[in-house]
Structure formats: C-alpha cells, structure tokens
C-alpha cells in the first residue's frame, strides 16, 4: 500500500532530513507514458496544416480561369518579396482580387465555425451543441439581415458584423439560460430550444425580407444560403478582428474546459471560476459565430462534424481539440468551397447547402448513437 | 483602449496564490459555527457546529435527508450559509478564491460523471490542475501514480472513463481527489458503489491520509465501517448534530434507534471490541432454509418530517 506522503514544502533545506527525503523517493515512478497521444496530436496537426496549405493553393488555381500551381506560388512569392515573378494582368487580378480573398475567407469562416463548435460542446457539456443546430447562427443572421434590410451603415464596413455579433450574443445567452437546469444541459431541452430559436429567428428574417426592397431581397436570399461568392478584401477585413480575437483567446481556456467535463461543482473544486469561464467562452462563441455568419451566411454542421471527428481520432482533450477544430474547420470549408465552385461549374452551389447535405446525415447518425448510448432521451 | 479591456476579460487570469502550509497534527483545518443552510425555503442544516482536525478521520452518519451531504457541501464552500460561518485554514470560506480553495480541500461528489470519454489516467491527472504553475507542479506524476495505486485503478488506466462500471468510476473519482493532495479531504459516500474489498480499501486509504497529517471528512451509511475506521463520528438528524465523539461513545443503541427510527442493537466485536450496529431482527422462522429477511427499510414512515 502506498503511503501517500505529503511532500514537505517548508522553506528550509529539505535534503538534511533523511526521513522526509526517503518518502518521495519510494514512490512508484509514473507508469503512464503520455508520449503516444502527444505524438498523434503532432501528426494530426501537421497533416491538417499540410492539407490546408494544399487546398488553399489548389483553390487559388482552379476555376473558370485556370492558373497553374507554379504561377500561384510565383505570384505569392513576388508579392511578399521573396523572388518569384508577377503574372500577366488578368491572372494577377483573378488571383488577388477574386480567388485569394475567397480562400482566406473560407479559412477564416471554417476556423471560426470549427472552433466555436468545439467550445460550445465543452461549455454545454453536450456533444450535440453546435452554433447552427441550436440556433446561434440563425440569431446572428437576424442581426445581419436586419442590418442589410434596414440599410444600416453606422459603423461602415463593420456594421453587418457588429449587428450579427450583438444578435448572436443575445441568442447564445437566451439558449444558455433556457436550456440549462440544475447545472447541466439535457439533450432534448437543448435541441428543442434550438428549434424554437430557429423558428423565431426565421420569422424575424422573414419580417425583414417583407420590408426589404428587391435588390436587398436578392442579396439577403443569396447570402442566407451560405456562400463565399462575394468575397472581397474589405469583407475579409470586416471579419478578421472578430475571428482572430476569438481564435486567439479560445486555446487559453482548453485546460479549464477539460475540467468542466467533470461537472460544474467538481470543476470549481479544482479551482476553476466556472461563472467567469462560461461568460468568457460564450462571448468567444458569439464572436466566432458572428464573424462566420456576417460574411458567409448560415453554414451548418461544420462545428458539429469537425470536433467529433477529431475527438474520435485523438480523444476529448481540449488542448488539441480547440485549435485542432479551428484547423479542421478551415480544411473542411476550404475543401467545401472548392467543391461548391467546381462540382457544377460553371454554375456554383451554395456552400451552406453543400455542408448541410453532407452534415445532416452525420448529425442523424450522431443522434442515433447518443440515443443508443444513454438508452432514450427521457 | 476597450479592446484591451475586452481581451483581459476573455483571457483566463491567475491571481497570485499563497500555497498552504502543512497543518500540525490536531490543528483545526476547517470548522463550522452556528451553521444554518436553507434550500428551497427549508432549513436543511440548523445550528450545526463542528471542527475538522488534521490527522483525523471524521465520519458523518445519519438517516436519509439528515443533512450530511449539505454539511459536506458547506464545508467545501459550495453553499453560502444563511447564518453562521464556515472557516477553512483559519479564514472564512468565502474569502478564498476558487483557485486557493482548490489547494486546500478536495471534494469527492456523490456521483461521478464525465461528459466526454477521457481516459482514466487523464481523469486522475485532472486532480493536479490546481497546482499548475506552483512549485509543487513537479509532484504531478508521482501524485497521480500514487493515487492510482492506492485505489487500484492502474489496471484500466488507459480505458475511457465511460466504459467503466459504477464501482470502477467511483474509485477513479477517488483517485482524482487523492491526486489533488490537499490537507482537507471531503468525501461524499465514497463506498456507496463499492464491493466489500474496495469499501475496506477506501477507508484504509482515508486512514493513511489521516496518518500522513490530512483531515478527512467522510459521509458514510455503513455504521460498521464508521465505527471501525473513524476517529470521530457525528450523527446528524433533522439538520442538527445529535451526537459527536469517538464511535465507542456515540454509537449508543438508544440514540441510533431513535435517530434511524429503527430498533438497533450495538455490541462489541468479539475479537476487536469495535462496536457493531445491527438492526433488531426477528430470529429465523417459518422457512429456516432461507436466510432471514431484514426488516423492510423502505416503510412509508421514512418520508415523514
């Protein structure tokens, strides 16, 4: 039987007392080698990064106007002053004014959605939480649609983003308050709350459409399907602060999110200021969702699919999961946008439709599995 | 700059924490004075006073709804009392930050839950989280290994927590609490889901921790376990402490019969002399072949006030 000695933390030199130095030395050495998991995280991170880079380069080159991979690289090198050469005017313009803003936007939106999904699942302690499913995206969309329909421009380029953030934040708080009882979130309550919020947000969006003029209606409808087709550098700039702030802050909370998996009280017993953590993370989720929704409309299931696949591959630890989901989301959306542009060329599928087509069956499977695990919803 | 303020609010921050110094044997680690806790308008605890000393195992016993878990939660600073005070390490419990409390007391909840399937070893390692960034961070590996050995959970260290049986989960949860290495351990029914061997094991671990200088408070239903392993026992009844002291003094047939509303017999163990508490049962009759049925303990009268 191990004696579980308290290691002395007295300030005087401890090595002089043989009775206290003997006890810690007698303890068994650590038996669990944490190495394999760490190794797997590194491999996953590297392959995701490689995939993202490859997809970005492919996306920049493929399209109605083909630009060979070598030319893409050369032009990028040229612009950042590392040799290379400029392309002819058309190619340069297509690459820098159409393709690259779109690629960057896909990466930003995907990273935001993936990261927001991982954070939400951690905060709600529920693997089915996702901004789209529980209505946060729809809530943010109300803000964005309202801004477009009412022609608001009080903050210039950032108006739509800010409106989406405020509405998204209000929605997260509402869903959170409504779906929690006794320190936990029931799956049924969460999904039903999502249905109610989605319905209400849909009604509000309908109302704004009713008051909008024809040009605005076209803009809103197209945007609502979820698309990156109107990507420009100003749009990238409009969401960059929100997305970067959210993505930069999120990983700092990973350790606490791990502890939150034990439940709220045990997390508090381990020194987590649970209230503060929740408020901070809800703000971050609202930031990320707003960033994504403001430019790309409602793109569902990325935040659900990506963290789940990563959890299966590398376990539920948030230190990998949170940044990994951002990376994975970026990969999925970069690939999705490339597919949306090229599958039905010259026509273009709405990205939101594509992700929903692929994501819904996955959600279905997840629901069934969760149900089987806990033996019913009641 | 508002963005700087926003950033500071979003980032976790760690206040400078003072590390606890080890308590001398017999020193008061935590105490409750005139404690009154009301839940849902009903006083669950009323005028409870108790001291928890270093080097001592204190068992809280009593019938269902007597307030045992509530007292434990109050000692853990989970509940704000409506009157009276809880002091931990000489300071009012409310004055400590969550991070500072986590260095001073560890709590085993009644039911161990986990929302994501972390492997057992990682669950135990979560107990080390409060020490991150302190000089005792170096103990992490040793503390985790020792806690897992003490609770005999090494065999399934790599399995996901969700794949374990109830008793195995309870032991893993206990290992996490032990790995926290605090001077005060608050355990809410650590033996409830365990078989005979592991019940003994858990209480032996409690004894070892007390011998090493920690204060251990444990909620128990099994009076025999309490009598055999606790230095002191507090019998709770209707939100008050009915009796407190060494088991040999407190375990009185009259007191226990009244508190549990179930006639009991108390007699010394023939070999060790430790009090044994047994419900008064009619002798075997009618069908001598089958073991005698115990008195039904879920009679309707239990739901009374």
């Amino acid at each position: 039987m191990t004696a579980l000695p308290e290691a002395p933390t007295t300030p005087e030199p401890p090595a002089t007392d043989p009775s206290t130095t003997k006890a810690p030395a007698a303890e068994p050495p650590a038996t669990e080698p944490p190495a394999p998991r760490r190794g797997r995280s590194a491999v996953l991170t590297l392959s995701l990064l490689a995939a993202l880079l490859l997809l970005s380069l492919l996306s920049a080159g493929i399209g109605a106007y083909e630009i060979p991979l070598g030319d893409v690289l050369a032009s990028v090198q040229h612009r950042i002053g590392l040799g290379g050469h400029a392309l002819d005017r058309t190619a340069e313009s297509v690459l820098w004014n159409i393709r690259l803003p779109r690629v960057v936007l896909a990466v930003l939106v995907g990273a935001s959605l993936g990261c927001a999904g991982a954070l939400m699942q951690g905060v709600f302690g529920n693997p089915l939480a996702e901004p789209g499913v529980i209505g946060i995206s729809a809530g943010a969309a109300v803000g964005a649609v309202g801004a477009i329909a009412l022609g608001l421009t009080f903050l210039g380029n950032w108006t739509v983003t800010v409106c989406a953030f405020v509405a998204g934040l209000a929605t997260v708080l509402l869903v959170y308050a409504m779906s929690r009882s006794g320190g936990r979130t029931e799956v049924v309550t969460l999904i039903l709350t999502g249905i109610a919020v989605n319905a209400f947000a849909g009604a509000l969006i309908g109302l704004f459409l009713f008051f909008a003029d024809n040009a605005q209606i076209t803009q809103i409808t197209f945007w609502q399907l979820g698309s990156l087709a109107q990507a420009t550098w100003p749009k990238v700039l409009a969401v960059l602060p929100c997305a970067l702030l959210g993505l930069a802050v999120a990983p700092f909370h990973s350790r606490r999110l791990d502890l939150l998996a034990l439940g709220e009280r045990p997390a508090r017993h381990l020194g987590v200021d649970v209230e503060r953590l929740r408020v901070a993370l809800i703000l971050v989720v609202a930031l990320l969702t707003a960033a994504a929704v403001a430019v790309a409309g409602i793109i569902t299931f990325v935040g659900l699919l990506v963290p789940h696949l990563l959890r299966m591959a590398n376990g539920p630890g948030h230190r990998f999961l949170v940044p990994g989901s951002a990376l994975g989301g970026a990969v999925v959306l970069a690939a999705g946008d490339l597919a949306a542009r090229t599958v039905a060329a010259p026509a273009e599928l709405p990205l939101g439709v594509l992700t929903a087509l692929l994501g819904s069956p996955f959600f279905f499977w997840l629901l069934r599995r969760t149900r089987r695990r806990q033996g019913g919803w009641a | 700059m508002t963005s700087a303020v926003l950033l500071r609010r979003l980032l976790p921050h760690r206040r400078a924490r003072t590390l606890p110094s080890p308590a001398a044997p017999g020193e008061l680690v935590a105490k409750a004075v005139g404690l009154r806790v009301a839940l849902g308008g009903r006083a669950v605890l009323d005028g409870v006073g108790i001291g928890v000393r270093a080097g001592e195992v204190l068992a809280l016993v009593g019938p269902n709804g007597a307030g045992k878990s509530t007292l434990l939660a109050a000692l853990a600073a989970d509940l704000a009392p409506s009157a009276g005070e809880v002091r931990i390490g000489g300071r009012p419990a409310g004055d400590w930050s969550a991070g500072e409390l986590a260095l001073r007391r560890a709590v085993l909840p009644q039911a161990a839950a986990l929302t994501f399937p972390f492997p057992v070893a990682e669950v135990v390692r979560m107990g080390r989280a409060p020490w991150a960034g302190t000089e005792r961070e170096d103990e992490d590996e040793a503390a985790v290994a020792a806690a897992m050995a003490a609770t005999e959970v090494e065999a399934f260290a790599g399995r996901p927590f969700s794949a374990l049986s109830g008793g195995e989960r309870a032991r893993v949860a206990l290992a996490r609490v032990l790995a926290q290495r605090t001077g005060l351990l608050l355990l809410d029914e650590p033996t409830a889901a365990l078989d005979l061997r592991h019940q003994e094991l858990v209480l032996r671990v409690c004894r070892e921790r007390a011998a090493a200088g920690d204060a251990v408070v444990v909620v128990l239903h099994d009076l025999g376990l309490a009598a055999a392993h606790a230095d002191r026992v507090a019998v709770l009844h209707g939100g008050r402490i009915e009796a407190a002291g060494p088991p040999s003094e407190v375990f009185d047939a009259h007191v226990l019969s009244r508190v549990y509303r179930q006639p009991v017999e108390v007699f010394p163990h023939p070999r060790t002399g430790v009090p044994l508490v047994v419900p008064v049962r009619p002798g075997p009759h009618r069908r001598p072949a089958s073991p005698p049925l115990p008195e039904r303990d879920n009679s309707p009268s239990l739901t009374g006030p």
Side-chain angles (χ1 to χ4, degrees), chain A residues 204-223:
Chain A
L204 284 182
I205 291 175
L207 210 58
F208 282 127
L209 281 174
F210 180 74
F211 287 115
D213 61 35
N214 273 340
Q216 286 170 337
I217 287 179
T218 317
Q219 193 190 348
I220 291 171
T221 314
F222 198 68
W223 169 88

Side-chain angles (χ1 to χ4, degrees), chain A residues 21-334:
Chain A
T21 47
K22 211 179 115 209
E27 274 180 1
T31 47
E32 271 306 288
R37 172 142 291 169
R38 189 137 309 155
R40 202 189 288 179
S41 312
V43 169
L44 267 172
T45 310
L46 284 180
S47 31
L48 282 173
L49 271 175
L52 184 60
L53 199 66
L54 188 70
L55 278 167
S56 304
L57 289 174
L58 282 178
S59 283
I62 296 174
Y65 185 98
E66 292 282 342
I67 307 173
L69 203 57
D71 284 2
V72 174
L73 282 173
S75 181
V76 171
Q77 273 182 343
H78 178 68
R79 289 262 175 145
I80 56 177
L82 287 172
H85 56 85
L87 310 178
D88 62 71
R89 271 192 54 184
T90 323
E92 194 77 5
S93 166
V94 166
L95 183 62
W96 286 93
N97 294 334
I98 298 174
R99 298 273 168 77
L100 282 181
R102 188 163 181 163
V103 170
V104 172
L105 213 54
V107 168
L108 274 181
V109 169
S112 300
L113 288 175
C115 189
L119 291 178
M120 275 197 103
Q121 289 161 21
V123 175
F124 280 88
N126 190 317
L128 293 176
E130 197 256 357
V133 173
I134 65 174
I136 314 294
S137 296
V142 170
V145 169
I148 298 174
L150 302 176
L152 300 181
T153 52
F154 59 96
L155 288 167
N157 239 337
W158 279 283
T159 314
V160 175
T161 317
V162 169
C163 287
F165 172 67
V166 172
L169 184 63
T171 319
V172 192
L173 292 175
L174 180 77
V175 170
Y176 193 75
M178 278 176 57
S179 62
R180 284 187 80 75
S181 66
R184 54 187 298 245
T185 315
E186 300 277 344
V187 178
V188 185
T189 325
L190 189 66
I191 304 288
L192 290 181
T193 311
I195 292 177
V197 169
N198 272 323
F200 187 64
L204 284 182
I205 291 175
L207 210 58
F208 282 127
L209 281 174
F210 180 74
F211 287 115
D213 61 35
N214 273 340
Q216 286 170 337
I217 287 179
T218 317
Q219 193 190 348
I220 291 171
T221 314
F222 198 68
W223 169 88
Q224 220 187 325
L225 289 173
S227 169
L228 295 169
Q230 268 110 42
T232 53
W233 288 118
K235 279 206 171 167
V236 171
L237 274 186
V239 295
L240 197 66
C242 263
L244 281 192
L245 180 63
L247 290 173
V249 164
F252 288 98
H253 294 287
S254 304
R255 225 184 135 95
R256 287 171 178 73
L257 274 178
D258 281 354
L259 300 181
L260 205 56
L262 294 167
E264 286 189 18
R265 268 198 184 183
R268 203 172 300 125
H269 294 151
L270 289 168
V272 179
D273 188 342
V274 177
E275 301 303 316
R276 196 190 167 87
L277 176 71
R278 276 202 312 234
V279 170
L281 286 179
I282 282 179
L283 275 173
V284 172
V285 166
L287 270 176
L288 291 170
T289 312
V293 168
V295 282
I298 299 180
I299 294 175
T300 44
F301 296 114
V302 174
L304 189 73
L305 192 117
V306 172
H308 263 280
L309 293 179
L310 290 178
R311 231 180 255 123
M312 283 179 199
N314 195 46
H318 287 89
R319 252 164 296 177
F320 170 75
L321 193 66
V322 170
S325 295
L327 208 52
V331 170
V332 167
L333 222 60

Side-chain angles (χ1 to χ4, degrees), chain A residues 1-2 4 6-7 9 27 30 37 121 125 245 252-253 255-256 258-259 261-262 265 269-271 280 311 316-317, chain B residues 7 10-12 78 98 102 105 107 113-119 122 126 129-130 136 139 141-142 146 180-181 208-209:
Chain A
M1 215 61 291
T2 327
L4 288 172
E6 280 293 318
T9 49
E27 274 180 1
R37 172 142 291 169
Q121 289 161 21
L245 180 63
F252 288 98
H253 294 287
R255 225 184 135 95
R256 287 171 178 73
D258 281 354
L259 300 181
L262 294 167
R265 268 198 184 183
H269 294 151
L270 289 168
R311 231 180 255 123
Chain B
L7 196 65
L10 289 178
L11 281 173
D78 282 343
R105 60 99 178 87
V107 187
L114 197 65
T115 43
F116 295 109
F118 282 93
E122 278 180 40
M126 286 179 188
R136 282 176 62 182
E139 289 175 35
E141 292 304 318
Q180 205 173 335
R181 289 203 172 166
E208 284 165 8
R209 290 302 301 251

